[in-house]
């Protein structure tokens, strides 16, 4: 028997969260999103403790009908716009931050095909995504250095051979298709992105991700041993950086991160609210009969909720800006791309800082007994703390400040 | 000669602000808004020092064509929606916070007629507003207590007599029409709102406003000596509180305050930016040639700008919610009204806190010489500090928290 | 092989911390403290994951010669003053927050005897502590309610029988002696504190503590089944609340908490510093060769360190105030006791908030790879987050504010 | 009649502040300090509005017996230690920040003589200070550049001629003696400090200081026209930078700034407290009868007071460190000097940030009517905002962070 459950032995799982607080309008997909989120939530605390690959939950995503929403209609997809995709990421993150990350990165990989691939490749990979319901992974971390992974071409240039490894390969495990970045022939200035089936001979996704948060994103390493890559598996033209439009990829990526933060903040607030209403005791000198009537607790909810709402409003605005930039197609100018990048940077920094604050401070509304491990209330903070370090927020702020002062948008890179 | 201007004796006024930063899309009215804002900005620093009534600048507003934008088309007005009105308030506040307040409260008085007055009164006062280009003032502060102002009716109930005074009567001086609140016959539970010409015999608006900020809002006192009020000058039905729709008035009011904060934050950022670019010196150990290249200065601009943008996004979202509530007309339910009130409360608190932070921290990007009195860079903070105390933010937070926990929206009052 | 250790496979434990940063002058005991801290640090990360009772490490404390420092000289102890005891708590918490808590609560139990017990009891229990090197535990949580534990006396009043349970009994497991609180005969206003050997028949300390932080404090439950308590095991006179001096107990307790926060902040800063120097990579666009030269990283260390130093200065000042109050003996007035309580409340709130901030923000100085679970860098935050909820900080702030406004110190209670 | 005073027409000055809150133990000088502070407080609000030179109040300082406390006993002075001097600065700043600055800078000039002057000069200037009760000013700003002021020597090197100007010459007006810095012969690397009577022919202190805060520090410009300086008026050896000990001057200076911040925070809290108790109205929905019973107001006082207390504790600790460094005399090593500089930098940054927060947030405890100009409650913030820009706090933080990471203390300069 647990000391912390003595008074309520029946309460050994997280309290049910009032659904309305979590409700996010996802249009025609709302019911499917809610159903998936509910299934993920049911085991999220336990799986956070366990870590590792969430095979069953990845299967739930595959079965949800939501995996391919961003594939354009011409390839048989639903052609949903980015603001909707991001709302789904947020909603799923409020239940399960790791799986929401994998879901968001699925669409980042689809965006990668749309932005980097030539028409023939788009047809092949996007139709395939619809036909086979592919779950995509990535091995595109740019910080592993030149020696980590090499793409060496044969004399005729007809195929390449991959040798080496990559780290932070979110979603590679249990994936069907894999986007990979590598310097061509060891030249760091000549970075290519290529697409291969994840089960191709020589590709070894390792079960070695063990971080303090985002524990089921499988963001571990992939080892490549003499992996053959055909010439037409190298994405492009345009490939990465080949056009202003192609540089939208980090914009898509950064907003996935942003909505992970927002989703964790929302999930934390919803879980805390349920606890405050169902479990928390009024403090002795508060003079109130229920914790929910405590003026300091109400004040803190007001403060955290207002900040969360500001973060969501800013993110939604940035998502609309991204969609406008996306819809410009090849006509997009560097200045228009820069405006979107700045809007997204603003949202990312603000949402990250807000989510760190919200997920840390929810405890003040619940009290000491809420630190019992079985509630898993610290996972929200651990998720945000882990994910917000993806690339330094201070440099995002510098980019924004430099733009404000000079009018020069951030240089397109893998992070900005 | 001023010590602080020794090196740049020609720079004795605030540096020109790059217009693009301040640009806010006000639709068809953008040019008129920009022209008015520029004229107000030209003398804002000097008038902040002087205080008192800004007769010439009130005349500029009268001549701008912007005074009556919210009057519905059926009365000859432009029938502009609230989100546009608020954007204009924000833009004007970035140049002159006091005049922006008077402009915003003009539309609050028009809303008062729309919400409280009967059809005949609406026709009379709104058509009159268009015909005579009336500038409205108010004497509706609820905190003066019962004894401050009395409305006594004659035996036949055909007219009333006002005796007493009101404080915080923003815009009463130099106004044409005046909305006044009073307890009927000394009954605090029976509060009426009435409309009279500001120049009616016995109405004395005093030049006694002298606060640390918002120095030209004329928010001083009005004394009423045996002022005759006709029965049909009492607004209603429905009057205040007579319908859920009528309770939207504080929502309109609170968003005016909110945009005053946002406008001051924007004005402060724009003024600081110009100073950083044109006046600030790089710090000795920074290793950069220009202050604008200082990483800490860029970082701070990034931080302040991101927060400002979050405040504006949240406020724009709240303004859309208000408009939706407004458009429901008499069909609005208390719950729908409550949702709007909560959204607006979130925006008000967040924008106030953000503007306090922004207007205080701009100095870090400019350095010691920017404290010279002639720049007037402290006026942004003084304006926000003054205006954000209108009603306590902590109680707004409690309202939001209580709603989050209980689902009960704030009780409609003059402040919520 | 771990993805996160690919580049530095040899680095699979926390980096060695430069000792000078952690150095705290503990007078003649410095060497013993440092030796104990080093031994605790060696396994702290692993034990944080494991949780449960730290039998080996409790043995280390027993063997350190530091267990009984606060026992007055007249009973054979070292008679060390509170400021020194607290410095040791801080230093140990920088290595192992759970064991530091048990060490601090050891001295709280000794203080309990000194404040509540009659001379004969003091002689018995304090001499016994020196003679047997007793490790003390407690079962004194006041929030379990009346029904949780009952002390029923026999007809003659010669002994009592304990039945029921207590929660949050830090240090009861593996303890030698136990202080227990209970309402006498079910009367909540008649709370007694009694002292019994932990191994007395019917006392069952449960291994049921499993919280997100402070994972080896054994703050689980104790069940009492027909436990016989002799009349002279009831502490007093004065007992709890029997004299102004007796009300110093929560002051002693609150400063233990405070130094736990400070110690975690220090430990986090020292661990992060070592990582920044030894592991962190410079960010691509930083233009510096080493992370330690990054201006934003330096700035953040400057900020976190300054706040930590402020917290320690305030806490040291509060500890001196406590010692002065302690030295007044029975002559202490309620006002003098109140002044000490306010000074301690200030330190507790400030140190808690500071440590939450420091332990969360160290990650910004290290980067994404520092989230690898094996470093255990999140344990500092989890410890502080858990322990800072002991009693609500907002009510501490209210107490301080009420005192500032009214001159009335907080009412002595188990928390203030 | 003022609108804001309608209900309390008799209250047209700041409410009396309870003396105990402001009480700071200044040893044998406590009564003199309190008497001087009370006289300064009586007119501080009015003089803040007026600006200019506070001749009468400078006379009060001269008459207080406190002007020369830091002159060593061997020259006839009281030989008081730095911690006491700083406490007096803090106490005076709680009443009048400008005059406290002048008082603190008096002792900085005395320190300048003690640190830079040769024995004969020390005898001359320190004995003269006692004999004539000299009030010292300075013209030592380092940021005016080379061309601003030139010290040209004649062929024989027997005297120098000063030509040019200096800015930010706090306290030069109405001073008796003046410390001046200049590059010798236009060589920026060869900076000298010299001492001359303020009324020497050719010295013109201008009444041109007009900043948003610190309005009576006379920190305007001084023009030097063919001012003759004798060779033995050049301070040294050692002169500035001539010895590790000589580099303590900026340490002394930075702690003066620090205590100005602390004093303003204290003054703001004391003034707000009096207003809350005497003037503030309870908020309608608070449910309490007096503003002082409002839980949010109590909470905020608790928060602001705790932070103020942390700032003072850290500053007092830094002052002790400075005194220890000072007492080392010529034996001080660069590392010891560096430790003092870091401790002082920590205090300066923390106190500045705290005072900015405290002086801004006191308004939340008072309400809208407290913004009436006649209370002058904004002057605390304006003072701190102005003075905290003396040199950038972000670079102080970087210095601290660099030291923490590298062990290298900040390079001695005029600011560090």
């Amino acid at each position: 028997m647990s000391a912390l459950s003595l008074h309520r032995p029946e309460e050994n799982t997280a309290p049910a969260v009032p659904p309305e607080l979590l409700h996010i309008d996802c249009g025609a997909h709302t019911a499917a999103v809610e159903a998936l989120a509910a299934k993920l939530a049911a085991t999220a605390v336990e799986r956070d403790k366990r870590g590792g690959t969430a095979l069953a939950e990845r299967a739930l995503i595959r079965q949800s009908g939501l995996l391919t929403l961003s594939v354009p209609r011409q390839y048989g997809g639903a052609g949903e716009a980015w603001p909707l995709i991001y709302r789904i990421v947020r909603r799923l993150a409020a239940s399960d931050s790791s799986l929401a990350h994998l879901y968001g990165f699925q669409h980042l990989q689809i965006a990668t095909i749309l932005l980097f691939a030539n028409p023939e490749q788009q047809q092949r990979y996007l139709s395939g995504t619809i036909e086979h319901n592919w779950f995509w992974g990535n091995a595109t971390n740019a910080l592993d250095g030149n020696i980590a992974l090499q793409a060496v071409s044969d004399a005729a240039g007809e195929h390449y051979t991959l040798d080496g490894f990559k780290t932070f390969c979110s979603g590679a495990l249990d994936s069907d298709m894999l986007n990979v970045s590598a310097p061509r022939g060891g030249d760091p200035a000549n970075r290519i992105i290529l697409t291969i089936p994840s089960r191709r001979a020589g590709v070894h996704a390792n079960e070695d991700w063990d971080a303090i948060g985002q524990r089921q994103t499988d963001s571990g390493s992939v080892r490549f041993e003499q992996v053959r890559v055909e010439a037409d598996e190298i994405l492009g033209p345009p490939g990465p950086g080949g056009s202003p439009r192609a540089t939208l990829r980090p914009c898509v990526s950064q907003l996935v991160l942003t909505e992970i933060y927002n989703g964790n903040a929302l999930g934390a607030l919803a879980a805390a609210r349920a606890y405050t209403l169902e479990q928390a005791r009024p403090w002795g000198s508060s003079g109130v009969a229920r914790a929910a009537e405590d003026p300091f607790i109400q004040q803190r909810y007001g403060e955290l909720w207002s900040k969360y709402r500001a973060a969501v409003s800013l993110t939604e605005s940035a998502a609309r800006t991204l969609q406008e930039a996306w819809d410009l197609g090849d006509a997009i100018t560097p200045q228009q791309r820069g405006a979107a990048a700045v809007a997204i940077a603003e949202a990312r920094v603000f949402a990250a800082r807000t989510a760190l604050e919200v997920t840390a401070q929810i405890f003040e509304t619940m009290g000491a007994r809420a630190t019992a491990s079985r509630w898993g209330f610290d996972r929200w903070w651990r998720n945000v703390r882990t994910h917000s370090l993806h690339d330094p927020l201070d440099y995002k702020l510098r980019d924004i400040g430099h733009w404000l002062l000079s009018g020069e948008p951030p240089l397109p890179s893998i992070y900005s």
Side-chain angles (χ1 to χ4, degrees), chain A:
Chain A
M1 187 188 338
S2 158
L4 294 166
S5 67
L6 281 171
H7 304 296
R8 290 175 172 269
E10 74 288 5
E11 296 284 356
N12 55 6
T13 57
V17 172
E20 69 278 10
L21 190 62
L22 289 172
H23 181 81
I24 294 173
D25 185 354
C26 297
H29 309 287
T30 302
V33 171
E34 289 297 325
L36 175 59
K39 287 176 199 159
L40 296 177
T43 55
V45 170
E46 187 274 325
R47 288 182 290 107
D48 167 70
K49 292 191 201 311
R50 196 199 325 149
T53 310
L55 288 176
E57 289 70 25
R58 290 175 58 94
L60 289 173
I61 295 179
R62 279 185 160 101
Q63 296 153 15
S64 70
L66 302 168
L67 191 62
T68 61
L69 290 186
S70 63
V71 175
R73 294 186 181 186
Q74 64 191 99
Y75 306 110
E80 294 292 0
W82 288 112
L84 177 77
I85 301 293
Y86 289 124
R87 253 172 247 137
I88 299 176
V89 173
R90 189 194 316 151
R91 176 60 190 89
L92 296 181
S95 289
D96 184 329
S97 181
S98 288
L99 275 293
H101 175 70
L102 296 176
Y103 180 79
F105 265 40
Q106 160 82 2
H107 298 286
L108 175 61
Q109 306 318 316
I110 292 172
T112 304
I113 301 300
L114 285 165
L115 295 170
F116 294 171
N118 62 42
E120 189 273 332
Q121 291 168 328
Q122 293 196 24
Q123 180 65 42
R124 188 194 320 158
Y125 296 128
L126 298 175
S127 299
T129 298
I130 296 300
E131 185 177 354
H132 306 292
N133 204 28
W134 281 337
F135 214 141
W136 289 70
N138 88 90
T140 55
N141 177 24
L143 293 186
D144 286 324
N146 284 334
I147 58 163
L149 181 62
Q150 301 271 355
V152 178
S153 62
D154 65 353
E158 289 180 357
H159 75 273
Y160 288 77
T161 304
L162 287 178
D163 258 305
F165 63 85
K166 300 285 278 190
T167 58
F168 289 110
C169 301
S170 298
L173 266 160
D174 185 49
S175 71
D176 306 299
M177 295 294 288
L178 202 59
N179 285 331
V180 182
S181 69
R184 196 191 317 240
D187 175 6
N190 195 353
R191 189 167 161 270
I192 57 176
I193 306 279
L194 54 93
T195 297
I196 53 175
S198 306
R199 292 171 190 84
R200 179 162 293 178
V203 177
H204 308 288
N206 299 310
E207 299 194 39
D208 56 4
W209 174 251
D210 182 11
I212 61 172
Q214 296 294 89
R215 290 178 51 70
Q216 291 202 314
T217 57
D218 289 317
S219 301
S221 65
V222 174
R223 178 161 292 277
F224 298 85
E225 291 181 336
Q226 291 284 314
V227 177
R228 180 181 171 106
V229 180
E230 303 304 324
D232 69 351
E233 292 176 324
I234 313 263
L235 295 185
S243 70
R245 173 169 167 80
T247 65
L248 285 175
R249 186 184 186 273
C251 297
V252 174
S253 170
Q254 293 276 322
L255 270 181
V256 172
L257 306 188
T258 305
E259 289 289 23
I260 296 290
Y261 311 149
N262 288 334
N264 275 283
L266 176 60
L269 279 164
R273 175 182 182 273
Y275 187 97
T276 300
L277 290 171
E278 299 169 16
Q279 303 283 342
R281 303 170 180 172
W283 185 243
S285 59
S286 67
V288 297
R290 297 169 56 241
E293 294 162 12
D294 186 304
F296 297 131
I297 289 178
Q298 293 177 343
Q299 175 196 38
R300 194 170 298 270
Y301 272 110
E303 191 154 326
L304 300 181
W305 179 256
S306 297
K307 287 179 179 171
Y308 164 73
R309 288 277 305 130
V312 166
S313 297
L314 185 61
T315 308
E316 288 268 358
S317 171
R320 288 193 297 269
T321 302
L322 172 66
Q323 189 63 45
E324 289 167 16
W326 185 272
D327 291 342
L328 289 170
D330 290 330
I332 192 170
T333 65
Q335 200 64 26
Q336 288 169 320
R337 188 273 179 196
V342 169
I344 291 165
E346 293 162 10
R348 167 135 186 268
V349 173
F350 186 81
R353 296 268 161 88
T354 298
L356 283 170
E357 190 176 335
V358 168
T359 57
Q361 291 192 17
I362 51 164
F363 288 91
E364 313 274 351
T365 69
M366 301 192 283
R369 294 183 310 136
T371 62
S373 190
R374 75 180 187 284
W375 300 113
F377 288 145
D378 61 328
R379 76 187 193 280
W380 314 102
W381 181 85
R382 287 186 284 101
N383 289 334
V384 178
R385 185 63 288 185
T386 298
H387 217 38
S388 56
L389 297 169
H390 180 275
D391 55 280
L393 299 176
D394 281 320
Y395 282 91
K396 280 261 164 297
L397 291 173
R398 195 184 72 169
D399 281 354
I400 299 167
H402 175 70
W403 162 81
L404 191 75
L405 286 163
S406 69
E408 297 170 8
L411 278 181
S413 77
I414 197 164
Y415 296 108
S416 60

